[in-house]
Amino acid sequence: MSRGTAFVLGATGQVGRAAVRAMAADGWEVRAASRGGGRDASWPAEVRTVRLDRDEDGALAAALGEGADVLVDMVAFGAGHAAQLTGLADRIGSAVVISSGAVYEDDHGRGFDTQSEPDGCPRYPVPIPETQRTVAPGEATYSTRKVQLEGELLAAGDRLPVTLLRAGAIHGPYCGTPRELYFVKRVLDGRRTRVLAYGGSSRFHPVHVSNVAELIRLAALRPGSRVLNSADPEAPSVAEIGAAIDEVMGWECETVLVAGAPPVGTVGSTPWTQEHPVVYDMSAAERELGYRAVTGYTESLPPTVEWLAAQLRGRDWREAFPKMARNYDPHGDLFGYAEEDAWLDTRSAARHAQP
């Protein structure tokens, strides 16, 4: 028996692939919409694909047709997309929309957007509840646009019930900015030593795509207007992540821990590195949706590592992951090992010089 119809926007992206799979397995009649109109090999044949550019005037309305019992939106940003969804409220039973944990700011106004400023690293409560204050809405940044999106959709809750999922650091196959690449490539490059700032204790709460998909599935079954965090059951430290990836790849590596900030340049810095932890409270999702994680971080790693290694085979990493290069390597030093080797040599010489 069908649970109803589901329309998934951004279906061939990282989260979209898993969401379509989870919704179809749960008995929904799924239409999977993406710009290319493609399909994932893991989807059942019953999933219907739709070619759609939501930013073309009238395209979403035309593709939606008579409507859907639930619309799942992986690619919504800002007031324009919020208005697009609320304008179709008469054809949508409820919606589940991906937001981001980047919306939060601490009690002194520091957030993800201030991290590059002096004393700009946020000091969030551990864990962060959904009631934590957020940045001001606006068009300036990813974070402010997500807050703008959230506000517009929640304000229309009487017409369109929307669950907004504030996702942590999403991981798993098909990620465009895979943080795990940092350690996987170092192993493939034969690096036997790693340097980690802040004692390797940095924590940036991850969430596997299958856990996001499970939250989507549960929210579709329990419509309502709310925001919920989306994260794995644990938030491992960057040192624990590196060690877990080493184990998956059968690698042995010495870890050099630096007590504070990177000692020079980006030495000791990783895509997870920050001075203060970012850990999301999942109790609301557990209470309101009955959420239980599908997987934990460590057990989810083998397919991710295998996929990353396959993408790198015979290719420059910037070609394989151009968005990762833009976001995390603007100065070309993410895998520039010369600076790290020079610092390690200086450190070794200083230790040997001690009486």
Side-chain angles (χ1 to χ4, degrees), residues 40 64 121 129 150 178 213 257 278 306:
D40 188 88
L64 193 60
C121 186
E150 288 187 1
L257 301 178
V278 178
E306 181 181 359

Side-chain angles (χ1 to χ4, degrees), residues 35 178 353:
R35 286 189 174 184

Side-chain angles (χ1 to χ4, degrees), residues 18-312:
V20 170
R21 187 164 56 246
M23 295 291 283
D26 203 32
W28 294 86
E29 298 173 35
V30 181
R31 283 181 286 166
S34 64
R35 286 189 174 184
R39 64 184 304 115
D40 188 88
S42 68
W43 297 346
E46 294 77 17
V47 171
R48 294 168 51 197
T49 60
V50 181
R51 187 185 298 272
L52 170 65
D53 182 348
R54 72 177 308 161
D55 292 324
E56 291 182 3
D57 288 344
L60 178 56
L64 193 60
E66 294 183 359
D69 294 306
V70 60
L71 183 144
V72 183
D73 195 342
M74 251 61 67
V75 287
F77 299 93
H81 288 165
Q84 191 180 56
L85 297 181
T86 57
L88 296 168
D90 59 336
R91 287 190 258 171
I92 302 170
S94 68
V96 185
V97 178
I98 301 299
S99 185
S100 170
V103 301
Y104 292 117
E105 69 176 13
D106 70 11
D107 294 339
H108 296 278
R110 294 172 297 217
F112 282 32
D113 293 338
T114 65
Q115 290 186 93
S116 62
E117 301 173 8
D119 194 33
C121 186
R123 295 165 175 79
Y124 297 121
V126 178
I128 306 169
E130 289 86 348
T131 53
Q132 178 67 24
R133 61 191 278 183
T134 60
V135 300
E139 292 288 340
T141 69
Y142 173 85
S143 302
T144 62
R145 292 177 69 201
K146 282 293 191 182
V147 172
Q148 191 179 59
L149 171 78
E150 288 187 1
E152 296 287 339
L153 290 176
L154 292 172
D158 58 335
R159 294 182 289 124
L160 178 62
V162 178
T163 298
L164 290 141
L165 298 176
R166 291 174 174 168
I170 300 175
H171 63 102
Y174 301 103
C175 184
T177 54
R179 293 171 177 84
E180 288 72 19
L181 176 70
Y182 180 82
F183 290 124
V184 171
K185 179 167 165 51
R186 290 179 68 92
V187 171
L188 295 176
D189 289 342
R191 302 291 292 181
R192 289 287 182 180
T193 304
R194 69 167 63 97
V195 183
L196 297 177
Y198 302 114
S201 64
S202 296
R203 290 194 293 162
F204 183 9
H205 208 154
V207 59
H208 190 261
V209 287
S210 63
N211 289 332
V212 183
E214 175 67 358
L215 284 161
I216 290 169
R217 184 188 73 83
L218 292 170
L221 295 174
R222 299 167 177 83
S225 285
R226 58 202 165 205
V227 292
L228 295 172
N229 288 332
S230 176
D232 286 344
E234 67 282 322
S237 70
V238 67
E240 291 169 334
I241 291 172
I245 291 174
D246 283 352
E247 184 172 352
V248 171
M249 301 185 76
W251 191 251
E252 293 185 5
C253 180
E254 177 193 4
T255 299
V256 176
L257 301 178
V258 176
V264 58
T266 60
V267 173
S269 182
T270 77
W272 295 271
T273 298
Q274 49 197 3
E275 185 176 1
H276 305 289
V278 178
V279 179
Y280 301 111
D281 186 348
M282 290 304 296
S283 59
E286 293 167 1
R287 182 176 62 252
E288 295 189 27
L289 300 181
Y291 169 69
R292 296 294 181 271
V294 172
T295 187
Y297 185 83
T298 301
E299 52 264 46
S300 76
L301 274 177
T304 301
V305 170
E306 181 181 359
W307 179 79
L308 286 169
Q311 299 307 302
L312 291 173

